[in-house]
Amino acid sequence: MDFNLPADLTAYLAELDRFIEREIKPLEAADDNIRFFDHRREWARTDFDKGGLPRHEWELLLRKVKNLADAAGHLRFAIPKRYGGKDGSNLWMAVIREHFASKGLGLHNDLQNEHSIVGNLPLVTMLDRYGTDEQKAMIDGSITGKYRITFGLTEPEHGSDATHMETKAVQATRDNVKGWIINGEKMWTTGMHVATHCALFARTSGNDGDARGISCFLVPAKSPGVKVEEYMWTFNMPTDHPRVSFTDVFVPEDAQFGEVGRGLSLAQCFVHENRIRQAASSLGAAVYCINESVKYARERKPFGKALAENQAIQWPLVELATQAEMLRLLIRKTAWEMDQLTQAQVEHTLSDRVSMCNFWANRLCCEAADRAMQVHGGMGYSRHKPFEHIYRHHRRYRITEGSEEIQKRKVAGFLFGYMGAGKH
């Protein structure tokens, strides 16, 4: 088996690097935009007078970068050619995401909000696979910013356990229009402050704990009864993660997104692609921290001797570098296998591998960022280095993105034979 990257992939990485140097770096340096990435980053990004929401100028800058990347043919790389993309594979996306994150903070790729010049667009995949023709017509607008669709899955009382959701949808007719009335509450519905729609998951049949009986609806964000109750102040500000209530919200039948009662298939479609790419980004951020630590240890000479000569510095970095190399192989192999299978096959035979990649990459990144802070001493713990920002972001991943415990639970389900069909 040839483990070398294909020549066309390495050529594309070089093309992306040239685009970053030519188009993105000058924009990053203009108008003091570097304030969004240097020691002022948290304050520059956060509007503390508006509940901790992202500042408008920060979001406008990210949109400008996306438009540049779209015009250059990069933003839509991973989506089908019929929507202006390049049919980019999960393997290529994993390599690109690691490559970008290993460069450190910058306008080319910001992990805090999934911004990138090569877009991670799982909602496009959802719309393409499960949407009606009218819903598929929203795909282009969801890329250009005309539409912003949030993800309404997690609930205040149930966290990562979607099968016990309390949000309910019942069939009803209002003003001679057939549809559904929805009642419930969601947490971490990221982006609701600028959303046009929410992909809202609600139980339509079955009992608590049943995977079947949960349906998804595209609910217009301005519908009567939709209310942002509060924005949750998180430890990696800014925050656009609110608690949202849905009170007697009526949607017509054409708001149904996917098959009634099979809504969790849409959720799985979202999380599998998202989490393998997130794992690759976490790996890249870890590699950045490791490389910066090695570089600094060679340059720093306290008491006339380079830190790099100290085995107490060397050994932890050796272990982290070894873990990174092994994880890279697992991520790329898993991404490649995902490209060979249907979504249903991925769910039943590879879901545990995706979870392995996800929880271990997030953990590795936290450990690498923590080690970088230690190696860099006092400056390492200051905001003048990016390590605390990287640590907090990936620590958040370990808590919120399906949580490390939930990922382990899925792996255990495959390992002990009570989930999935695959044995690895």
Side-chain angles (χ1 to χ4, degrees):
M1 183 179 291
D2 185 1
F3 288 96
N4 293 315
L5 295 179
D8 51 351
L9 174 50
T10 57
Y12 189 54
L13 293 177
E15 180 184 342
L16 290 169
D17 286 343
R18 289 191 294 271
F19 174 74
I20 291 169
E21 291 301 318
R22 184 178 66 251
E23 301 286 344
I24 306 304
K25 287 297 184 182
L27 181 59
E28 191 175 289
D31 301 321
D32 196 31
N33 287 332
I34 198 64
R35 70 188 185 278
F36 296 114
F37 302 98
D38 65 16
H39 61 281
R40 300 167 291 173
R41 54 189 167 261
E42 190 166 82
W43 297 91
R45 297 179 182 199
T46 307
D47 191 335
F48 292 99
D49 294 327
K50 292 185 178 179
L53 285 170
R55 290 193 187 277
H56 186 55
E57 55 266 37
W58 167 232
E59 294 190 310
L60 285 178
L61 179 61
L62 296 180
R63 184 68 257 171
K64 184 174 184 178
V65 172
K66 286 183 173 67
N67 292 343
L68 287 172
D70 202 11
H74 300 311
L75 185 69
R76 307 184 189 213
F77 170 82
I79 67 174
K81 291 181 179 179
R82 58 184 173 275
Y83 302 121
K86 298 182 179 181
D87 288 324
S89 68
N90 282 300
L91 174 59
W92 278 48
M93 279 296 286
V95 173
I96 291 168
R97 298 275 288 186
E98 180 193 341
H99 180 72
F100 281 172
S102 68
K103 290 176 175 289
L105 306 186
L107 269 178
H108 65 288
N109 191 75
D110 190 77
L111 299 180
Q112 189 179 39
N113 49 31
E114 283 297 323
H115 162 80
S116 179
I117 61 170
V118 177
N120 182 32
L121 305 168
L123 275 164
V124 170
T125 305
M126 289 173 62
L127 288 167
D128 181 44
R129 290 181 182 173
Y130 298 100
T132 62
D133 289 342
E134 290 76 14
Q135 290 165 347
K136 288 179 182 179
M138 299 174 68
I139 287 176
D140 187 73
S142 73
I143 300 168
T144 62
K146 178 181 178 180
Y147 300 114
R148 173 68 186 270
I149 303 173
T150 63
F151 200 66
L153 181 65
T154 305
E155 295 193 348
E157 299 301 320
H158 299 287
S160 297
D161 180 9
T163 63
H164 283 80
M165 68 173 55
E166 296 179 23
T167 301
K168 300 291 193 299
V170 296
Q171 290 181 306
T173 299
R174 183 174 289 182
D175 297 328
N176 295 319
V177 176
K178 291 183 178 181
W180 301 81
I181 291 179
I182 304 172
N183 283 279
E185 198 170 51
K186 297 294 180 179
M187 288 280 285
W188 315 118
T189 22
T190 303
M192 277 299 287
H193 68 298
V194 291
T196 59
H197 297 78
C198 177
L200 180 66
F201 294 82
R203 182 164 292 285
T204 52
S205 63
N207 302 311
D208 287 348
D210 292 345
R212 292 287 183 95
I214 293 171
S215 304
C216 187
F217 303 90
L218 280 180
V219 179
K222 303 301 182 183
S223 297
V226 178
K227 181 183 179 183
V228 172
E229 297 289 350
E230 61 177 328
Y231 284 96
M232 310 304 294
W233 287 68
T234 56
F235 73 160
N236 57 329
M237 299 293 285
T239 178
D240 54 351
H241 315 300
R243 177 171 61 87
V244 184
S245 62
F246 299 83
T247 306
D248 293 333
V249 175
F250 178 81
V251 293
E253 286 184 331
D254 60 9
Q256 180 186 319
F257 189 12
E259 184 180 344
V260 171
R262 300 294 296 273
L264 288 186
S265 294
L266 279 76
Q268 290 295 327
C269 170
F270 181 96
V271 300
H272 280 127
E273 286 194 4
N274 203 45
R275 285 175 181 166
I276 193 66
R277 295 168 186 177
Q278 179 191 308
S281 294
S282 297
L283 170 62
V287 168
Y288 170 80
C289 293
I290 294 166
N291 290 343
E292 289 297 301
S293 297
V294 170
K295 178 182 176 182
Y296 183 80
R298 285 174 159 174
E299 297 171 349
R300 183 73 167 173
K301 295 181 179 180
F303 310 108
K305 184 178 179 180
L307 280 176
E309 297 180 32
N310 188 330
Q311 289 182 347
I313 298 294
Q314 294 175 359
W315 284 181
L317 291 173
V318 166
E319 291 190 11
L320 290 170
T322 302
Q323 291 177 37
E325 289 293 332
M326 292 189 293
L327 181 60
R328 179 178 295 114
L329 291 176
L330 178 61
I331 289 173
R332 292 182 180 178
K333 181 176 183 294
T334 302
W336 177 81
E337 289 180 322
M338 289 174 68
D339 292 328
Q340 316 308 310
L341 303 175
T342 66
Q343 182 199 330
Q345 289 171 326
V346 169
E347 188 171 336
H348 288 93
T349 65
L350 274 182
S351 192
D352 60 331
R353 294 277 188 89
V354 175
S355 291
M356 288 178 185
C357 294
N358 187 270
F359 88 76
W360 195 259
N362 293 335
R363 179 187 295 184
L364 175 65
C365 187
C366 286
E367 292 177 356
D370 184 62
R371 177 56 56 180
M373 286 189 273
Q374 294 180 54
V375 170
H376 284 76
M379 286 299 291
Y381 285 96
S382 77
R383 293 178 183 267
H384 294 266
K385 295 291 183 180
F387 308 124
E388 58 83 28
H389 180 80
I390 293 170
Y391 177 87
R392 285 186 293 132
H393 174 66
H394 291 273
R395 182 60 189 167
R396 188 264 287 182
Y397 270 166
R398 292 179 68 182
I399 298 168
T400 64
E401 296 301 307
S403 84
E404 187 166 302
E405 290 75 17
I406 292 296
Q407 300 301 327
K408 289 181 181 179
R409 183 173 180 266
K410 182 171 287 187
V411 176
F414 277 73
L415 187 64
F416 293 98
Y418 57 87
M419 281 178 64
K423 300 292 187 294
H424 305 304

